[in-house]
Amino acid sequence: LRAPQYVRVPDPCRALIGHAERALVIECSHTDTAPPYWVLSDPDVLNNHGLHNGRNAQTALTLMDRLSTGGDIVIDYSTQVWAEGGDDRRTIAELLRYFAPPFAWIWIAAGLLFGLAWWRGAVRDRPVVSVFDHGHRGARSTVMSAQARLMRNTGRDGALLRVLAHQRVLSLCERLLGRDDRTSNRQSRMLAFVERRNPDLAHRLTSVLEDTQAVPDRLAPGAAIALLTRLETAYEEARQLA
């Protein structure tokens, strides 16, 4: 018989296999009138893992035949006395364990991800803000100012308007579409974006861009001011769509 785990017999019990200091099977009872129950110190005597060892199979058959006395045998593998009454209700402290470290970091990360996903979903039609815009815009403004001063001094108001319109288109594309890898047809995609938001504004913006591209290099001051007013008005209204 191979059974490496033994138990010391407590006072209200008696050994069936073994002795008081080294027992394999003991018989116990809660009270003198309560039905008895038996404790097996090593479950390998009865399970498939241990039945093929030594004389465990023969011992198991003999034990079951003696204990059954013609009735059923219930084998319980629990590690606590579940037959006794008691308060087994869950407490809030058991739930709070899942919010203590290290689980707290998981909940914080999940909360941040949810907040980011919610924010991105709320403004998904807007471009991602770039932290490098200020430097590029500052340099671009300096170049445009120098180019505009040169064109004004030479009287090329029409050419100046075309350059300004081109810069306004680039600014609207960056503001409404964001920075992406698709560099082709950005103006048409920008106008389509404006069309979905404000069809009348899209028509006016398309018209003024076409008129600006058609003007000659030298343009009368009155015509240049009127065209510039239309361009800037449509541009400012389109910027508000972002």
Side-chain angles (χ1 to χ4, degrees), residues 42-54 56-57 60 75 77:
D42 193 340
D44 286 345
V45 176
L46 298 181
N47 60 25
N48 293 335
H49 174 71
L51 281 176
H52 69 282
N53 294 326
N56 288 7
I75 301 177
Y77 284 97

Side-chain angles (χ1 to χ4, degrees), residues 60 74 164 188 216:
V74 178
L164 178 62
S188 60

Side-chain angles (χ1 to χ4, degrees), residues 25 47 116 118 164 175 184 223:
V25 180
N47 60 25
L116 179 61
W118 179 84
L164 178 62
R175 185 176 181 86
S184 60

Side-chain angles (χ1 to χ4, degrees), residues 25-85:
V25 180
I26 61 176
E27 183 182 39
C28 301
S29 179
H30 290 293
T31 62
D32 295 338
T33 59
Y37 63 92
W38 299 269
V39 177
L40 177 66
S41 63
D42 193 340
D44 286 345
V45 176
L46 298 181
N47 60 25
N48 293 335
H49 174 71
L51 281 176
H52 69 282
N53 294 326
R55 299 175 59 188
N56 288 7
Q58 182 180 354
T59 303
L61 291 174
T62 304
L63 180 63
M64 292 298 100
D65 182 65
R66 175 177 176 180
L67 300 181
S68 64
T69 62
D72 296 331
I73 299 177
V74 178
I75 301 177
D76 180 18
Y77 284 97
S78 62
T79 59
Q80 60 184 359
V81 182
W82 53 266
E84 294 182 352

Side-chain angles (χ1 to χ4, degrees), residues 68-123:
S68 64
T69 62
D72 296 331
I73 299 177
V74 178
I75 301 177
D76 180 18
Y77 284 97
S78 62
T79 59
Q80 60 184 359
V81 182
W82 53 266
E84 294 182 352
D87 189 4
D88 193 28
R89 292 178 299 177
R90 301 293 184 180
T91 62
I92 191 64
E94 297 183 20
L95 178 62
L96 293 179
R97 291 185 305 171
Y98 296 98
F99 294 92
F103 299 106
W105 305 114
I106 300 177
W107 289 113
I108 292 175
L112 292 176
L113 288 176
F114 174 78
L116 179 61
W118 179 84
W119 173 81
R120 191 68 188 97
V123 296

Side-chain angles (χ1 to χ4, degrees), residues 6 23 40 60 121 125-126 145 178 183-184 190 220 237:
Y6 295 93
L40 177 66
D125 58 339
R126 303 180 185 181
S145 299
T183 58
S184 60
M190 180 270 294
E237 292 182 18

